[in-house]
Amino acid sequence: MRPSTIMVRPAPGKKSRAILRFGAITIPAAIGRSGRTILKREGDGATPIAAMRLISGFRRGERNGQLTTSLPIRRIRADMLWCDQPGNANYNRLVRAPFGASHEEMRRSDGLYDICLVMDWNISSRTRNRGSAIFFHLIRPGYEPTGGCVAVSLRDMRRLLPYLRRGTIVRVL
């Protein structure tokens, strides 16, 4: 039987570090610069304490090639953006350039979204200012904090991907 829940627990010593456990796999992770919160707000830098389903993902094909996973994964194009403007009708949705409202580029030069999994935080049922672009993605060197996402190394992401599917839960404690 495959595990269906990724547990993300705070690591001792630093509020932006976590320990991720999935079945027999235990790995270090980074979370939001403000740690964790049950009252997630847009721009607060915190990772929501919640159980979030994996919905789908994105990849930079020219950097990562083929990925082994049951998750639906789309190749990132240069015009892919993610709206993070609470007042916009497309808030917390994938949009295409040109797009005038505040947004994140999915095709980042720093490689964080070279593999980027979408968690169902404020997506199925959106509320303005509740937080956007809460992803499970790749880590910055030194496990630097995220803006509210969960992040792991490329090596560890590749270890996890074959076991992940739509509906796998990422539970931040």
Side-chain angles (χ1 to χ4, degrees):
M1 185 166 123
R2 293 176 8 166
S4 61
T5 302
I6 297 170
M7 302 298 286
V8 182
R9 300 181 187 280
K14 194 168 186 183
K15 66 183 175 183
S16 64
R17 295 291 299 270
I19 298 168
L20 186 148
R21 183 166 200 147
F22 187 67
I25 300 171
T26 302
I27 55 178
I31 57 175
R33 66 182 176 277
S34 301
R36 303 164 300 123
T37 185
I38 58 170
L39 299 172
K40 177 71 184 147
R41 302 296 292 165
E42 184 69 40
D44 65 5
T47 301
I49 296 173
M52 300 167 276
R53 289 179 304 107
L54 289 176
I55 298 171
S56 61
F58 298 96
R59 70 179 176 88
R60 286 284 293 265
E62 72 276 13
R63 293 187 180 171
N64 289 305
Q66 190 64 29
L67 299 176
T68 303
T69 185
S70 294
L71 269 172
I73 303 282
R74 294 172 61 184
R75 188 173 181 152
I76 297 173
R77 295 185 321 267
D79 68 344
M80 289 179 161
L81 311 171
W82 196 273
C83 178
D84 60 9
Q85 180 67 46
N88 190 282
N90 293 300
Y91 178 58
N92 205 22
R93 294 280 190 258
L94 184 67
V95 294
R96 293 195 179 191
F99 186 74
S102 179
H103 61 270
E104 285 194 41
E105 291 186 21
M106 296 303 293
R107 193 178 185 114
R108 296 174 62 124
S109 60
D110 62 10
L112 295 185
Y113 292 174
D114 283 4
I115 301 173
C116 176
L117 308 181
V118 179
M119 298 188 290
D120 190 7
W121 176 258
N122 202 27
I123 291 178
S124 294
S125 176
R126 288 180 297 163
T127 302
R128 286 184 184 175
N129 288 306
R130 193 159 179 238
S132 63
I134 303 299
F135 300 136
F136 181 29
H137 62 73
L138 301 180
I139 196 75
R140 283 189 169 94
Y143 286 83
E144 288 182 26
T146 70
C149 300
V150 176
V152 297
S153 71
L154 174 60
R155 177 183 170 269
D156 289 334
M157 182 68 83
R158 285 190 171 279
R159 286 176 62 199
L160 292 170
L161 278 172
Y163 305 103
L164 304 181
R165 65 188 187 285
R166 185 187 302 250
T168 297
I169 301 292
V170 178
R171 184 179 304 275
V172 177
L173 304 173

